[in-house]
Amino acid sequence: MEENLLVLLSVIILIFIEILFHFMYWSSKMALVHNFFVISDLRDVTNKINNQLDINCMLERYEHVSIHDDIIIFIFKTLKWFKSENDTKTKATKGLFYYGISLIESDNLNTFLHIVVLWKELFKLAPETDVIPESGFSKKEIISQIENLIRLLEYATKSNKIVLHLGI
């Protein structure tokens, strides 16, 4: 009886350790992200009751990608070469509102797209590991996220739509 209890306890501890390991691994990979959505009009994604963005609606209805914060930080200075506006269109900035909402349209969207395309080419030249030392992402993972963003920006440009960025 005692022996069975010890075996059961050992199995429970091993399962707990494996769950803890997976949690730590995925939480480090998915910590902070910047979300990019393609929208036609800001009013389409605003809750009619309190005039706030309806994130759940956006995730279900609109094309979007998530880019890890480490990648955004790495390329952030070059993102200042285009302009964006906040969600009320009362304030403009160079690049993205890191902690807030950015709207990127027309010529600024084209510039953003070109910058990201060039970053993809630069990342192709990087070594396979330690591309962004703080992140732990492989070259393949980084390029995959960048390619997803390129596809989204190309779609927005061709469709004459707006890209809405949700900072961290």
Side-chain angles (χ1 to χ4, degrees):
M1 178 84 161
E2 254 180 60
E3 199 172 294
N4 288 342
L5 191 56
L6 271 172
V7 170
L8 181 61
L9 187 57
S10 297
V11 169
I12 291 172
I13 289 171
L14 287 173
I15 291 171
F16 177 75
I17 290 171
E18 187 166 337
I19 290 170
L20 185 60
F21 170 77
H22 286 289
F23 174 76
M24 288 171 37
Y25 174 80
W26 285 110
S27 65
S28 70
K29 291 286 187 190
M30 298 304 292
L32 300 172
V33 294
H34 294 255
N35 290 295
F36 295 86
F37 295 86
V38 175
I39 63 171
S40 297
D41 190 306
L42 188 60
R43 291 173 291 204
D44 296 341
V45 295
T46 306
N47 184 308
K48 307 301 182 220
I49 297 170
N50 59 10
N51 207 32
Q52 298 292 314
L53 290 179
D54 189 344
I55 304 300
N56 290 329
C57 169
M58 291 171 60
L59 289 169
E60 292 173 14
R61 287 183 166 168
Y62 297 95
E63 294 288 325
H64 65 281
V65 297
S66 297
I67 305 296
H68 195 278
D69 185 52
D70 290 341
I71 297 170
I72 295 295
I73 288 171
F74 194 79
I75 68 173
F76 197 74
K77 288 184 180 181
T78 59
L79 298 181
K80 295 196 176 286
W81 298 341
F82 68 87
K83 292 181 182 174
S84 67
E85 296 178 300
N86 66 353
D87 57 322
T88 57
K89 294 194 172 211
T90 57
K91 185 176 179 185
T93 191
K94 292 179 181 178
L96 302 171
F97 287 96
Y98 185 77
Y99 293 108
I101 297 167
S102 311
L103 298 173
I104 308 128
E105 302 178 67
S106 62
D107 290 340
N108 290 301
L109 186 55
N110 285 322
T111 303
F112 185 23
L113 173 60
H114 289 303
I115 291 167
V116 176
V117 166
L118 292 172
W119 270 109
K120 176 186 170 190
E121 295 306 311
L122 283 172
F123 283 124
K124 284 181 176 179
L125 299 173
E128 293 302 316
T129 59
D130 209 25
V131 178
I132 302 175
E134 311 80 41
S135 75
F137 287 111
S138 70
K139 176 179 173 176
K140 185 178 179 180
E141 291 170 313
I142 292 168
I143 290 174
S144 175
Q145 287 191 40
I146 293 292
E147 287 173 338
N148 290 338
L149 182 56
I150 289 169
R151 279 191 290 279
L152 183 99
L153 296 175
E154 286 173 339
Y155 169 71
T157 302
K158 288 175 186 169
S159 306
N160 201 26
K161 299 202 181 219
I162 301 166
V163 169
L164 183 142
H165 160 260
L166 297 179
I168 60 167

